Amino acid sequence: QVQLQESGGGLVQAGGSLRLSCAASGRTLSSYVMAWFRQAPGKERDFVAIVSWSGGSTYYADSVKGRFTISRDNAENTVYLQMNSLKPEDTAVYYCAAQRRTFGTTSPMQYDYWGQGTQVTVSS
């Protein structure tokens, strides 16, 4: 199995940028489809972005399309989420997640491994 550890969250003003990282250990990251989810207080965990095993394919939630970029470095066993033009509604705990079955799965129920999350707060 794989262990995931997020980092890079923090407090930023609206319009600013953050880069989240998700470091994997235990197994090689290239075996997994990787995704980012987020969860705001009192809300469900929502899909943000997904990247295929090699990094050649990506898919985004409409709410972040054009502002966020997911990428991966399998040699470094790390997945990234570059977040630009941040808005107060992006405030949430961000989680990275892994599964081996299929690209394109956006339901959190289909992901087997999760990090502990990193808080992103965007002030207006």
Side-chain angles (χ1 to χ4, degrees), residues 4-101:
L4 304 174
Q5 178 73 51
E6 302 95 337
S7 61
L11 174 64
V12 63
Q13 289 188 333
S17 298
L18 282 174
R19 189 193 197 199
L20 305 183
S21 299
C22 173
S25 60
R27 295 198 66 168
T28 179
L29 197 63
S30 60
S31 299
Y32 298 90
V33 171
M34 299 297 298
W36 287 95
F37 291 81
R38 66 186 181 185
Q39 189 167 19
K43 296 189 176 181
E44 294 184 347
R45 192 167 296 189
D46 290 332
F47 167 77
V48 174
I50 188 173
V51 62
S52 61
W53 298 267
S54 67
S57 296
T58 57
Y59 180 73
Y60 298 91
D62 287 344
S63 58
V64 306
K65 201 172 296 183
R67 300 188 297 123
F68 290 11
T69 302
I70 188 172
S71 62
R72 65 192 298 163
D73 184 339
N74 287 338
E76 294 294 327
N77 260 14
T78 304
V79 177
Y80 303 99
L81 186 68
Q82 177 67 44
M83 306 187 294
N84 298 330
S85 303
L86 282 161
K87 304 175 181 180
E89 51 263 45
D90 294 318
T91 295
V93 177
Y94 283 71
Y95 299 89
C96 66
Q99 52 92 4
R100 302 180 69 175
R101 287 180 292 277

